[in-house]
Amino acid sequence: MTKPYDTIVVGAGIAGLGVGAILTREAGQKVLVLDRFPKFGGRMMSYDGYPSAGWRVEIGLHMIELGEKSTCNALNERVGKKVAWAPFSDTVDIWNGEKFVSVAELVPMTREDKAAFRDLMQKIAMLSDAEIEAWDDRSLAEWLHENVPQAPVRELFTDLGMIMTTIPHAINMAAGEVLYIARENLLKTRQALQASYPRDGMEGVTRGLAEVIREGGGEIRLNCDVQEVGVADGRAAGVRVPAQKHIYQEEYRIFETELLTAERVVCALPIYKLSQILDFNPVTSPLPRWWVKRITDIQHEITGLIGFMIGLKEPVVDPRKKCFFSALKTRHAGFPFQAFPASNFSEHVAPAGKQVIHTDLVCEHAEASDKFMRQRLLKRHWEDLKDMFPGIEAKTEWRLPYYVDGCDGLARQPGLVGNFKPGLKAPGIPNLYFAGDTYRGRGLAINSAAQSGMLCADLILKELKGK
């Protein structure tokens, strides 16, 4: 048994690193962060030098809502770190089946419609938290039906909601989450949706958090596949990790383990991974049956991404254009689509004169988790890209296919956002906590995870002060 830590965090994504950095800086805690991957960052990992020097790729398509005014930037500032940001995206261009057009061009509007849309934005900017929370279990379609009589205005706001939620139909979008995201953007930027990109890529958002932990005497242990959260006498005792390397291939392994002990444990991995480190057997689990059932019932209510990171010998998008591309439904694949030229925002992700473009299809867990479906969708996705970006095939120097199952945490559907998300503390185990985008927290993807990490850290700090 090793020397105890104050807090062990399982998962080195932005939520786990955020909890660890805050507890290190504000409470002087000795923190251990564990992750099964060889790099920290979780779904925000960056890889330099692929396939050769000068290129940088990431897992999934990432722009960060609100940029320097975002929650993830506030998390970094809270622990004394600075993130370098590119300017906000100038436009969101939508594919209309033949070409990319602005959101305004996609939905023709009269002068009266435009005035009604401006009035709607003012109304949303003035909503209170309570008014937004009242719509967490109801759809955007219902909210629009009750509040927006003009059909073009409803259609335009639905298009914005699709970009926010990666859900194509308003009846499936949680109104509360769309309204919250729109309100925060309107109050901070006077636009319904603004996004930016870190000049150092996603690692530029997480690197400083890792530095705080290490500078404060903590440890980040990578390539460490936590096997179990140990629970004894109604408390989390620590985590069990492999005691030695295993010669068998993964499907044959059963590790001998050692227990790393701590005063508390934070599970900063998504709910669909919890059953890998917590006993969910209703007969033997230390957690209440109702809680296990709730997590099991919603664990696959997630969205996925299937796409390409593409390195181009020469640009297919004007290098001066800072934009985000989207489509409600593509012709070949038949799914919502997203893309953006990362190298137009940061000079650090591609060699001079070349371009990196991130692309994806937005799909459900059923498609993202099926390798045969992924391959079929990738082929159709490439056909869509050839239509959308003429010449892309001839200009491609390399392309890297990828998928992410659970790209934005829980799907932003009615009853799965706000206070309906799983809480930050395990019922019945007073020193076991949770953090990440599948737990309590609001905002788009990375910001939701960052907010959850700060809320979890604040909960622990409050309990420490009460002792």
Side-chain angles (χ1 to χ4, degrees), residues 196-395:
S196 183
Y197 185 71
R199 290 195 181 277
D200 290 333
M202 292 302 108
E203 191 171 314
V205 179
T206 57
R207 185 190 305 118
L209 304 176
E211 289 172 355
V212 170
I213 294 168
R214 288 167 170 157
E215 291 165 359
E219 180 184 352
I220 300 173
R221 190 179 304 182
L222 304 173
N223 283 316
C224 183
D225 194 0
V226 173
Q227 300 297 295
E228 181 185 359
V229 174
V231 179
D233 299 323
R235 292 182 62 84
V239 300
R240 292 197 170 275
V241 300
Q244 58 188 30
K245 292 184 178 179
H246 212 300
I247 64 170
Y248 294 162
Q249 293 184 354
E250 185 173 354
E251 57 264 40
Y252 303 115
R253 293 174 185 163
I254 297 179
F255 284 100
E256 296 284 354
T257 62
E258 61 176 328
L259 180 67
L260 306 178
T261 61
E263 292 296 319
R264 65 195 57 78
V265 173
V266 178
C267 294
L269 69 174
I271 62 169
Y272 46 86
K273 298 289 187 182
L274 279 184
S275 62
Q276 297 178 12
I277 63 170
L278 288 170
D279 183 1
F280 270 26
N281 186 320
V283 177
T284 57
S285 177
L287 293 153
R289 182 174 297 186
W290 62 264
W291 186 87
V292 171
K293 185 177 187 305
R294 169 65 173 162
I295 299 299
T296 303
D297 285 348
I298 66 174
Q299 64 181 338
H300 294 311
E301 295 291 345
I302 53 179
T303 53
L305 305 178
I306 299 171
F308 293 105
M309 298 290 130
I310 304 171
L312 298 160
K313 291 178 278 190
E314 56 183 283
V316 295
V317 178
D318 184 342
R320 298 165 297 179
K321 186 174 183 179
K322 292 178 170 55
C323 59
F324 186 86
F325 298 105
S326 187
L328 301 179
K329 186 177 181 180
T330 59
R331 181 164 70 92
H332 296 283
F335 281 81
F337 162 84
Q338 303 176 129
F340 85 104
S343 52
N344 286 20
F345 292 82
S346 171
E347 66 276 19
H348 303 305
V349 299
K354 300 187 179 184
Q355 190 170 64
V356 167
I357 186 166
H358 299 187
T359 78
D360 69 48
L361 297 172
V362 180
C363 60
E364 301 290 340
H365 167 70
E367 289 86 23
S369 61
D370 184 328
K371 71 175 183 178
F372 301 107
M373 177 62 81
R374 292 197 298 264
Q375 290 299 326
R376 288 193 290 271
L377 285 177
L378 274 175
K379 291 179 181 179
R380 297 171 190 168
H381 180 49
W382 186 245
E383 294 304 310
D384 284 318
L385 290 173
K386 290 192 291 184
D387 289 347
M388 294 172 172
F389 303 99
I392 192 170
E393 191 164 37
K395 294 178 179 180

